[in-house]
Each structure stands twice: as C-alpha cells, then as structure tokens.
Amino acid sequence: MENFDNISKYRIFLAVAECKSISKAAAQLYISQPAVSITIKKLEESLNATLFIRRSKGVELTENGRKLYDSAKKAFNIISDAEDRLRLQQNTGYLRIASSNVLCKHFLMPYLKAFTSLYPNTDVSITCTSSASACLMVEQCEIDLALAAKPENLGMASYYSLGVIDYIFVCTPAYRDKLNCDNDKIFEYGNIMLLDKDNVSRRHLNSYYAQNNIRPLHILEVNEMDMLIEFAKMGIGISCVVKQFVEYELSTGSLIEIELSKPIQSREIGFLYNVIQPMNENVLKFINAEKD
C-alpha cells in the first residue's frame, strides 16, 4: 500500500469480490453504487491492472484480481487477529472458583452470569466440591475465590457475606399426616433424610442434635441436597434442607415445613479469598459483578 488511505479502497475491493456485484457490495457497505465503482476504477488505475471482468449479472475477478484478493484477505485477517490480541491483553485474566454443587446452583450462578457478560475474555474455572474443601483450597492458595459457609476461623482469608441460609425439615403433607405425632417427635417416628456425615451442613445439624439431645432413629443419607429435596417430594421421608432452596415447593404446597420448638441455627454464607497471596484483580470484579 502506498498509504493508509488505500485501506478503505481494499475493504471495498474485498466486498465487491465476495459479493460478485457492485450493487450488492454498495448495499452491504452502506455507500452508493457510483462510489463503489469509482473506488474500484481508481484502485485499478493505481495498480495499472484490471481487477474485475464486468458481466451482465455482476463482476468476476481476473487472474490479477484473484492474486490481489488472496493477499488483501490475508492482510485484513492479520489486522483482525492483532486487534483481537490487543483486546485480550486488556481484558484477559483468569479466576479459579470453588463451591459446593448446591451453592453453585442457587447462589453462584447469578454472579457467574453477570461476570462473564462483563468480562467475556476472562478464563473462569469452577471446582465443585464441599464447602470444607473449598475453604481449604483458599487457605492453600489453590483457588482465588470460594463460595462457602463462613468458617469458624477465617485464618488468612477475607470474607464477603451474602447473608444467611436457614435449615428446615420438610416433607409432603401426606407423609406428615401419616406420622400422626407432634412436630418435635418426628425424629422418633419419621424417616429422616440427611446429607452424609462428611458434609459441613451435616456437621452443623449434628451440633443441633447434640445441643437438644435429639437421636433420630431412622436415617437415610445422601450426598446431594437436590436429592434430599427430590426424595422428600416423593413422600418417602423428612429431609433437612436449606429453606431458600425449596421456596417454590413451599409456596405450591408440594412440601411443608415442620416447625420445631427449637429451630436450627442459621448459617452465614459468602465469598472467601486469601489475603496472603497477591490479589487476583478478578476476585473483586466477580464479587461486584452483580451490582454493575
């Protein structure tokens, strides 16, 4: 190219070559047909070469035109790739997150959706694990951010609260009628469905049992809260679940809450990130993404 003014000429040349029509190229570029014709004519004059054969139904590249098209197309692709790389340099980065499946589904997704919309070129990886493992991964600097229940000892982690979650016992109305006992007696007569013993939520519930001298006689254990909800809806027992996760079922009456005289203590959940390692700037971007 002799100067940068020729860039616009080559854009028009490429459009005509690909549309095989001056009128269609003009429509695609939102410029007049005479302007396209004049540009092609000037380009041919500057190169001292015929680039198109004019036919009744459009135009066709000459041999010289095909050579120029191949080179011009490569040049514009190189420019486009360079622009993409520059954009990536401005927005690129990574963010490693860990969360339990249930917290990911009910709490993390809105943040993830907002963040990926704002920062589409940032690589995000999510590890689905227990809350206890997520906190340990933060402590060991294996991840940048964890969504988990607030640990008793934050150590070197900083904490951003998302509020509290409430644990309740739920079952179908039919199952509750079948028990025919006071609410506080469900642990003696009901089939109590809980998360497995290694789960943080289960340990929280075990503390509740110990404080209130409760010994459930019939226990069914699963490893996912979604399964607890589904089993309860099937009418095979009473599940201990997070109230916020069954709001729809409670509103429709497919599940009912068994109100105990001594409710289970709520737990706080939020984001944890390690403050002893260099801060990944995407951590605060992620936490604030839903506000933007």
Side-chain angles (χ1 to χ4, degrees), residues 36-148:
V36 174
S37 297
I38 292 171
T39 298
I40 296 300
K41 182 179 179 181
K42 287 183 177 180
L43 186 60
E44 288 179 324
E45 290 175 352
S46 67
L47 297 172
N48 193 27
T50 301
L51 302 176
F52 293 99
I53 299 173
R54 277 69 172 174
R55 301 193 183 279
S56 58
K57 294 184 178 181
V59 296
E60 182 181 323
L61 285 169
T62 63
E63 183 63 29
N64 286 332
R66 279 192 291 272
K67 292 178 180 177
L68 183 63
Y69 174 83
D70 290 341
S71 297
K73 189 69 174 178
K74 289 178 183 178
F76 275 90
N77 285 340
I78 290 171
I79 293 173
S80 179
D81 289 344
E83 290 176 340
D84 289 342
R85 285 194 295 271
L86 287 174
R87 293 190 188 100
L88 284 172
Q89 285 179 6
Q90 296 172 0
N91 301 315
T92 193
Y94 65 90
L95 184 62
R96 302 164 300 173
I97 307 171
S99 170
S100 67
N101 287 333
V102 69
L103 290 181
C104 181
K105 176 181 177 181
H106 293 279
F107 287 98
L108 188 66
M109 286 302 180
Y111 285 87
L112 184 61
K113 183 178 179 180
F115 181 80
T116 54
S117 176
L118 290 170
Y119 309 101
N121 296 317
T122 300
D123 293 329
V124 180
S125 64
I126 299 176
T127 301
C128 289
T129 185
S130 66
S131 289
S133 295
C135 293
L136 182 61
M137 292 173 74
V138 167
E139 182 182 335
Q140 297 177 346
C141 302
E142 295 177 0
I143 58 171
D144 304 298
L145 187 66
L147 173 58

Side-chain angles (χ1 to χ4, degrees), residues 218-288:
H218 309 286
I219 294 178
L220 184 154
E221 294 183 341
V222 300
N223 59 6
E224 292 288 344
M225 189 163 293
D226 284 345
M227 293 176 64
L228 288 179
I229 296 170
E230 292 303 315
F231 285 164
K233 288 162 65 176
M234 290 169 61
I236 62 175
I238 302 169
S239 291
C240 182
V241 300
V242 172
K243 186 173 184 177
Q244 287 84 344
F245 300 166
V246 291
E247 288 179 344
Y248 175 77
E249 287 80 4
L250 292 174
S251 67
T252 59
S254 60
L255 291 176
I256 59 172
E257 177 183 354
I258 299 177
E259 297 184 2
L260 304 173
S261 59
K262 295 181 179 179
I264 305 170
Q265 185 178 1
S266 299
R267 294 175 68 211
E268 191 174 2
I269 63 165
F271 291 116
L272 290 93
Y273 51 95
N274 202 312
V275 293
I276 64 171
Q277 65 178 342
M279 171 65 73
N280 182 339
E281 62 180 10
N282 287 313
V283 166
L284 296 182
K285 289 180 181 178
F286 189 90
I287 291 174
N288 294 311

Side-chain angles (χ1 to χ4, degrees), residues 149-206:
K150 186 177 182 179
E152 293 182 4
N153 182 12
L154 288 176
M156 297 304 297
S158 186
Y159 182 77
Y160 179 88
S161 177
L162 296 180
V164 299
I165 54 177
D166 303 304
Y167 289 89
I168 60 173
F169 287 93
V170 297
C171 64
T172 61
Y175 188 87
R176 181 67 188 89
D177 291 341
K178 184 175 69 172
L179 289 181
N180 191 27
C181 67
D182 293 337
N183 285 355
D184 289 338
K185 295 290 186 179
I186 61 170
F187 304 108
E188 298 178 27
Y189 300 101
N191 182 27
I192 308 300
M193 298 182 289
L194 309 172
L195 292 171
D196 58 57
K197 294 177 181 178
D198 292 331
N199 193 282
V200 174
S201 294
R202 174 63 181 278
R203 294 202 291 269
H204 179 69
L205 185 60
N206 286 345

